[in-house]
Amino acid sequence: MLNIKAGISSINYKASLNNLLPAALEKCKNMPKQGGAVGFFQELNDSSVNDISHILKCLPDSFYSRLLCITSRLYGCEITKSINSAIKNQGFGNSIKINEVLLNQENNGRLVLYLNHVEADYNNLIKLSGEKLPDGFIYFILKKIIPVLSGIPSHKYEDKILSILQNSFVKKGLEGMAGKSLLNNGIVLDIDEIIFSKADDNIVEAIELEKLEYAEEDFLNILASILNPPK
């Protein structure tokens, strides 16, 4: 298994919100009536949706960065499941599975995305490489690694793949491909570094996760500071 660490140098939250919010709100309206955040958005009319959009665009980037980190802790399982489902629907089936997705903020403020314990059925991926697959960073990786796997024993696949993925040229290509893929989905960001390691190498540092109640308390404190800033 492999771990993947991707550094995020910047996110244009305002542009991303402008791209994603209308579709997200429309999706909420088409869902069955329910409570919580979904129920809140279901009660909004077109005028109030515009008001909400303007308010969100005025909030500082630091608010969104912290909110994203808290969200990854509260809904990590759901986010991981959604990403795995998207990979499967792109034609890769169960050949690739990510077991953990986390977002953390370093002391310098930079956000870091962790994809931990990534499992791959390499024999099946070799078979898939001959099929028509959508362009993207997974297919980009396949085109790089499949030609060098023939003729070597399967127990050496991961070491060989890791050496290819750690190549600076390949990593640059992946960074650009990942940024383009996210942009196509409305998320405007720059990735400045991708690091691959074996899941048992401990190169990707472990993240001390907050307990659920602390994450919720932190989130509420952020909201309170926005709604009622200290004088």
Side-chain angles (χ1 to χ4, degrees):
M1 289 188 291
L2 298 177
N3 284 342
I4 304 172
K5 173 184 176 182
I8 301 171
S9 57
S10 66
I11 302 180
N12 189 327
Y13 291 106
K14 277 63 178 180
S16 299
L17 278 171
N18 190 55
N19 294 334
L20 298 174
L21 191 59
L25 294 178
E26 189 63 30
K27 183 175 181 179
C28 288
K29 288 182 179 180
N30 293 327
M31 294 172 67
K33 287 288 184 179
Q34 54 187 285
V38 173
F40 170 75
F41 285 119
Q42 288 174 335
E43 295 300 321
L44 298 179
N45 56 39
D46 291 340
S47 175
S48 55
V49 166
N50 290 332
D51 291 339
I52 290 289
S53 179
H54 288 310
I55 292 171
L56 291 175
K57 291 175 184 177
C58 292
L59 297 175
D61 287 355
S62 58
F63 172 83
Y64 290 111
S65 295
R66 189 68 187 122
L67 181 59
L68 283 175
C69 292
I70 292 173
T71 301
S72 79
R73 287 156 168 73
L74 293 177
Y75 301 104
C77 292
E78 290 84 351
I79 294 170
T80 303
K81 183 178 179 180
S82 177
I83 292 175
N84 282 322
S85 178
I87 292 172
K88 183 177 181 178
N89 292 336
Q90 284 185 336
F92 297 97
N94 296 315
S95 300
I96 300 173
K97 180 183 178 183
I98 300 169
N99 285 292
E100 186 178 49
V101 177
L102 294 170
L103 192 68
N104 193 43
Q105 190 168 26
E106 298 181 330
N107 291 333
N108 61 4
R110 186 181 75 152
L111 290 172
V112 180
L113 176 67
Y114 294 83
L115 306 177
N116 291 334
H117 305 293
V118 180
E119 300 179 54
D121 183 340
Y122 298 112
N123 289 319
N124 199 45
L125 287 173
I126 291 173
K127 295 177 184 176
L128 286 174
S129 65
E131 300 180 9
K132 179 66 176 177
L133 295 170
D135 288 335
F137 50 90
I138 297 179
Y139 187 54
F140 176 84
I141 293 175
L142 283 181
K143 289 193 294 184
K144 295 293 181 184
I145 66 175
I146 296 305
V148 301
L149 294 184
S150 59
I152 66 173
S154 57
H155 68 275
K156 292 186 177 180
Y157 280 174
E158 201 155 83
D159 287 332
K160 188 65 175 177
I161 290 168
L162 189 59
S163 69
I164 295 171
L165 295 177
Q166 289 172 333
N167 177 276
S168 59
F169 174 78
V170 174
K171 287 202 295 183
K172 281 294 181 186
L174 284 172
E175 289 162 14
M177 189 76 66
K180 182 179 178 180
S181 176
L182 290 167
L183 181 60
N184 289 339
N185 287 283
I187 302 172
V188 185
L189 58 73
D190 293 314
I191 296 175
D192 63 1
E193 183 183 33
I194 296 180
I195 297 174
F196 297 89
S197 65
K198 280 189 175 181
D200 55 0
D201 279 351
N202 294 321
I203 294 176
V204 176
E205 56 265 32
I207 299 175
E208 182 88 22
L209 290 184
E210 300 159 327
K211 291 184 178 179
L212 182 60
E213 59 267 27
Y214 293 137
E216 290 176 327
E217 181 181 353
D218 198 0
F219 176 50
L220 292 174
N221 286 339
I222 292 173
L223 287 178
S225 68
I226 295 295
L227 297 173
N228 186 25
K231 296 178 181 180

